[in-house]
Amino acid sequence: MTTMAQETAVPATPTASAAAIRRHELAAFLRHRREHIAPEQVGLPRGRRRRTPGLRREEVAQLSAVGVTWYTWLEQARDIQVSVQVLDALARALQLDPTERSHLFQLAGAVDPTPATVCPSITPAIQQVLEQLEPVPACVQNSRYDILAYNRTYGLLLCDLDAVPPEDRNCMILSYTNDDWRSSIVHLAEAQRLMAARFRATMAGHLAEPGWKMLLKRLRTESPEFREVWDRHEVIEHRGRRKEFMNRYVGHVSVDHTDLWLGPDAGPRMVTYAPADEESRLRLEKLHAIALERTPRPSA
């Protein structure tokens, strides 16, 4: 049940003024999106007496599992705190696209905790580079191991990544909870240990961010293996190394892992897996051919 925050007087400071402007922008944005979604789009009957364009406030509240009064306060630009969980529910209820979702979280002064399916760093040029690296498997990851983009060879290297929901496309989540991904890593325990150590080292700069805290909580909740490794408090830096995979289509593949950073800080990076020997090169070429066969052809 949502706890309703009481209103308090806010001193007229520049910071308070900026916050008030953001609240009014948020209220206007929510009203606009609510009024432009037909009831049929969310599985609700229109009825004969509907006068409100789009959805009613109580319908958005019901779809988001929040109180009607609390949601009304949001549209009235009241000074109340909004959790990332509620913002996520509102984004889903209002069927926001990635750009609108990002705008919602920015107006609320919050960090979106979910992996982005569309990231500002993934330009058409970067996607083209990923594709031209084939048959070398390659992807773009952010600093908490969310997979933001990948080429077709990478998409079949450890599992059928296209079949994984976007919110689960995170290397930590996959290596601790996805059976197909786990079975493809030859030295799984060592890979998990090193990844957790790198994650801990990087998280030191993101301890207060909701996205990092929610990912850590999910890993600790869903994986006893992760809890055991995490409690060792190991930390290491990112560095390339040789990896071995047992692919379901082509068998054993040995690759050299390299990180190519896309900016001056340790944020998004392009991860590449160059074949370590001739046999692995041939098998990656075969895997790429299989991936091409599985790619839907455009309609004539």
Side-chain angles (χ1 to χ4, degrees), residues 11-299:
T13 64
T15 301
S17 176
I21 292 173
R22 241 193 4 245
R23 288 198 306 274
H24 281 86
E25 285 292 326
L26 175 61
F29 180 65
L30 290 172
R31 284 195 302 271
H32 181 272
R33 291 300 302 133
R34 171 174 62 82
E35 292 172 355
H36 285 77
I37 293 183
E40 296 85 354
Q41 290 179 253
V42 293
L44 295 176
R46 173 169 292 277
R48 296 182 178 179
R49 293 187 175 183
R50 181 176 296 271
R51 297 178 181 176
T52 304
L55 297 177
R56 300 186 180 100
R57 285 175 175 172
E58 57 267 28
E59 290 171 333
V60 174
Q62 178 185 359
L63 291 168
S64 307
V66 300
V68 177
T69 301
W70 189 89
Y71 178 75
T72 301
W73 284 4
L74 265 183
E75 285 202 5
Q76 292 173 345
R78 302 246 191 149
D79 187 7
I80 59 177
Q81 295 297 317
V82 191
S83 71
V84 293
Q85 292 86 354
V86 167
L87 290 171
D88 177 70
L90 288 173
R92 294 175 187 275
L94 295 173
Q95 299 184 351
L96 303 186
D97 65 26
T99 301
E100 292 168 334
R101 179 187 175 95
S102 175
H103 186 62
L104 173 71
F105 276 81
Q106 285 182 339
L107 290 177
V111 178
D112 189 346
T114 62
T117 54
V118 176
C119 175
S121 65
I122 308 302
T123 63
I126 289 179
Q127 188 64 53
Q128 184 177 354
V129 170
L130 288 174
E131 294 170 1
Q132 292 191 350
L133 282 171
E134 293 179 324
V136 171
C139 70
V140 174
Q141 299 175 14
N142 62 16
S143 55
R144 68 176 186 229
Y145 289 103
D146 296 329
I147 301 171
L148 307 178
Y150 52 92
N151 62 20
R152 288 162 293 196
T153 315
Y154 185 91
L156 287 184
L157 182 63
L158 290 101
C159 71
D160 184 357
L161 199 52
D162 287 346
V164 176
E167 62 270 19
D168 292 341
R169 291 177 192 165
N170 174 281
C171 292
M172 296 286 290
I173 294 293
L174 292 166
S175 68
Y176 281 99
T177 67
N178 184 286
D179 290 339
D180 290 340
W181 188 279
R182 291 160 55 86
S183 65
S184 297
I185 301 176
V186 173
H187 305 291
L188 178 62
E190 178 69 2
Q192 290 175 325
R193 184 184 70 82
L194 293 175
M195 190 177 298
R198 286 193 295 267
F199 181 71
R200 179 181 284 279
T202 307
M203 188 174 178
H206 305 272
L207 293 175
E209 296 181 20
W212 289 76
K213 293 192 291 185
M214 290 181 69
L215 175 57
L216 178 59
K217 180 179 179 180
R218 179 179 175 184
L219 287 163
R220 291 188 64 89
T221 299
E222 297 184 10
S223 173
E225 289 175 305
F226 175 81
R227 291 197 300 271
E228 192 276 328
V229 172
W230 186 253
D231 290 341
R232 298 179 190 176
H233 289 266
E234 293 180 302
V235 291
I236 61 171
E237 63 181 7
H238 281 272
R239 60 179 181 270
R241 67 187 186 92
R242 183 153 295 180
K243 294 185 176 183
E244 296 179 59
F245 302 117
M246 185 58 66
N247 181 265
R248 62 185 295 186
Y249 298 105
V250 300
H252 183 272
V253 176
S254 181
V255 298
D256 288 323
H257 172 184
T258 301
D259 287 324
L260 306 173
W261 304 98
L262 301 180
D265 55 0
R269 65 190 184 277
M270 186 173 294
V271 178
T272 63
Y273 290 147
D277 51 54
E278 182 63 14
E279 185 62 31
S280 295
R281 183 185 67 81
L282 293 173
R283 290 180 177 179
L284 286 178
E285 289 178 353
K286 181 179 178 181
L287 183 62
H288 178 230
I290 294 171
L292 287 177
E293 291 177 359
R294 292 164 58 99
T295 302
R297 296 182 180 180
S299 302

